[in-house]
Amino acid sequence: MSTQPHSAPEAVAAIIPAMNESQRIGATVTAAKQIPGVDIVLVVDDGSADDTGTRARRAGAEVITHPKNKGKAAAMMTGAFALRNREISDADPGVDPHHRALLFIDGDLEDSAAGTAPLAAPVLAGRADMTIAILPAQKRKGGGFGFVVGLAKKGIAELSGFEATQPLSGMRCLSREAFDAALPFAAGWGVEAAMTIDVVNAGLRVEEVECDLHHRVTGRDLKAQLHRAAQYRDVARAILVRRLRAKRSDGAHAGPADAAQNPSDDHKETGQ
């Protein structure tokens, strides 16, 4: 295999994790196909009870189906690993595969999915390893009270030094190196905050990019509050896991005297 350093990707794969998005997925796929550089649109149907997968295929996407819902992070990894396997298979023997940039798009963006195009440009140009979309104020009323966003912002800043504008933004474009640095993805709704921490701490370049995107806004009824509680739990867990990793790393680099004063936190570790 070649030992040459990695080069910037020349193409983009749009990966769309989706569950029960039959009313929106067709328009989202059609818009994603219009993004310059995108040569594959891959929808991961994450255990939908409706015809999300069928409508995605009709719109021209390739579809991978999870028979049961596994969560957004698992769907993202399924799409990225399937693409990696294809790229390896397509490479000539003895030649490193050429990996596409990975553009993750939410399934409910509809026509505005084309507005993720600015995320790809810095990665394709080799200026950034990961870009994160900054969304405008949404047209539909709703939204939460900022508790989850505040938790994510503080955790990212504490553990990586990166000041995130919209820490939970799911629209991101990653080089393959950035994707690998973020593995394994944090479970559930903690995936975005954890990804930012891991990619920054790997010494890779992260940029925030303004994008004209519009999606569903969560309301404030009981169902919405339960959703936010789950988000808070997952983000808190992802931050805790990375805080414990940082403590272990500090202990591993401490001298004998310091190590005696900073016992291992291994017994406190929580799985993802």
Side-chain angles (χ1 to χ4, degrees):
M1 299 290 284
S2 170
T3 58
Q4 294 296 318
H6 72 266
S7 58
E10 297 177 359
V12 181
I15 299 176
I16 307 175
M19 184 185 74
N20 296 336
E21 292 290 359
S22 63
Q23 299 302 311
R24 301 172 180 84
I25 195 64
T28 302
V29 169
T30 298
K33 291 174 66 179
Q34 299 171 0
I35 297 171
V38 169
D39 63 354
I40 293 175
V41 176
L42 179 59
V43 171
V44 181
D45 180 6
D46 189 30
S48 295
D50 61 15
D51 59 348
T52 291
T54 298
R55 296 198 179 196
R57 287 189 185 92
R58 288 176 183 169
E62 299 182 28
V63 178
I64 299 174
T65 301
H66 286 168
K68 295 182 179 180
N69 177 256
K70 295 183 178 181
K72 182 179 180 181
M76 293 168 69
M77 289 191 291
T78 291
F81 287 141
L83 178 67
R84 186 203 297 267
N85 289 338
R86 174 188 297 189
E87 291 167 339
I88 292 172
S89 297
D90 289 345
D92 292 330
V95 177
D96 284 336
H98 189 81
H99 294 300
R100 293 169 177 82
L102 307 174
L103 177 61
F104 291 104
I105 300 175
D106 286 351
D108 64 351
L109 293 182
E110 299 182 281
D111 294 343
S112 78
T116 61
L119 293 173
V123 179
L124 291 175
R127 299 196 314 269
D129 298 287
M130 181 172 77
T131 52
I132 304 170
I134 300 177
L135 281 66
Q138 297 298 287
K139 297 176 181 178
R140 301 177 181 87
K141 293 183 179 180
F145 301 97
F147 298 124
V148 184
V149 171
L151 174 67
K153 278 188 176 183
K154 290 179 181 178
I156 292 170
E158 171 198 342
L159 295 171
S160 72
F162 185 81
E163 299 290 340
T165 303
Q166 292 184 357
L168 304 180
S169 176
M171 276 58 69
R172 298 173 179 229
C173 188
L174 285 75
S175 67
R176 180 59 68 170
E177 291 73 29
F179 173 79
D180 288 342
L183 292 176
F185 281 4
W189 303 105
V191 59
E192 285 90 6
M195 181 186 296
T196 301
I197 293 168
D198 294 343
V199 172
V200 171
N201 285 341
L204 300 175
R205 300 157 299 173
V206 177
E207 289 185 12
E208 295 183 308
V209 180
E210 292 186 357
C211 297
D212 186 14
L213 306 172
H214 298 279
H215 61 84
R216 278 188 319 238
V217 175
T218 307
R220 293 186 175 179
D221 58 9
L222 177 59
K223 182 179 179 181
Q225 295 307 322
L226 291 173
H227 170 73
R228 290 194 185 91
Q231 279 187 307
Y232 194 96
R233 175 202 65 206
D234 291 349
V235 171
R237 178 172 57 181
I239 291 171
L240 175 61
V241 168
R242 281 149 186 82
R243 185 177 291 127
L244 292 172
R245 286 179 187 168
K247 287 182 179 180
R248 287 202 308 272
S249 177
D250 289 345
H253 290 94
D258 291 332
Q261 298 175 19
N262 294 282
S264 172
D265 287 301
D266 280 347
H267 63 288
K268 299 178 183 178
E269 181 67 88
T270 57
Q272 292 193 59

